């Protein structure tokens, strides 16, 4: 009697385990947001002597619905190219406003400063523009020395 019960229990447990394994198909984890597009934006601004003053590089994604962010899987940075005491600053403008400076680099030997994390606080973005500016003026200010690159959704 004991042998039969053990054999039956093993068959029942084995069958239940096999059914549970095949009854639930494996599903790939769905991403939180589907990317409408990602693009690496680059801009270099000249200093007052016409030399390369600073560079920004940022990989930006605009998602379905218009939210946007920096793709932190890439090195997003601003880098100063001249040891002239004028810092390079990085800014981002989405469809709703200007953010930054995200990072500041004031040395030509640092290899750049990471932009960190930026996530648009709004939805409905149709474009994102990344700026690099020299000095303390913001993009669009009178006399500002800036360069930019843009992506569209």
């Amino acid at each position: 009697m004991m042998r039969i019960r053990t054999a039956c229990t093993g068959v029942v447990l084995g069958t239940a385990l096999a059914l549970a394994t095949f009854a639930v198909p494996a599903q790939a984890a769905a991403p939180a947001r589907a990317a409408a597009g990602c693009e690496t934006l680059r801009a270099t601004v000249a200093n007052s002597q016409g030399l390369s003053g600073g560079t920004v590089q940022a990989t930006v994604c605009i998602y379905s619905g218009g939210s946007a962010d920096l793709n932190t899987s890439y090195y997003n940075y601003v880098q100063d190219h001249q040891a002239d005491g004028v810092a390079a600053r990085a800014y981002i403008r989405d469809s709703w406003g200007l953010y930054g400076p995200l990072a500041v680099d004031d040395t030509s030997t640092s290899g750049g400063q990471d932009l960190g994390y930026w996530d648009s606080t709004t939805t409905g973005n149709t474009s994102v523009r990344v700026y690099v500016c020299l000095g303390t003026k913001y993009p669009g200010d009178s006399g500002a020395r800036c360069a930019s690159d843009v992506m569209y959704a």
Side-chain angles (χ1 to χ4, degrees):
M1 195 79 166
M2 189 62 122
R3 284 186 178 153
I4 296 171
R5 179 181 280 169
T6 304
C8 289
T9 303
V11 170
V12 170
L13 287 177
T15 304
L17 181 60
L19 288 174
T21 303
F22 293 109
V24 180
Q27 295 179 349
R33 301 185 284 186
C38 297
E39 189 174 329
T40 300
L41 304 176
R42 294 178 186 88
T44 300
V45 62
N47 67 10
S48 59
Q49 291 84 34
L51 302 172
S52 176
T55 298
V56 66
Q57 177 175 305
T59 300
V60 177
C61 298
I62 299 177
Y63 299 92
S64 300
S67 63
D69 66 17
L70 285 176
N71 185 331
T72 56
S73 296
Y74 295 88
Y75 180 46
N76 301 303
Y77 65 90
V78 62
Q79 183 175 11
D80 189 28
H81 294 286
Q82 303 294 324
D84 56 7
V86 180
R89 289 173 165 73
Y91 302 87
I92 285 187
R93 181 183 305 273
D94 65 11
S95 296
W96 308 103
L98 181 68
Y99 305 91
L102 300 178
V104 177
D105 188 27
D106 194 18
T107 175
S108 61
T109 60
S110 71
Q113 294 297 312
D114 191 301
L115 300 184
Y117 180 80
W118 174 80
D119 190 4
S120 178
T121 58
T122 61
T123 58
N125 285 300
T126 57
S127 66
V128 174
R129 183 175 293 271
V130 177
Y131 293 88
V132 58
C133 298
L134 296 178
T136 58
K137 293 191 176 193
Y138 287 86
D141 285 353
S142 177
R145 185 176 295 276
C146 300
S148 68
D149 194 6
V150 66
M151 76 170 289
Y152 298 96

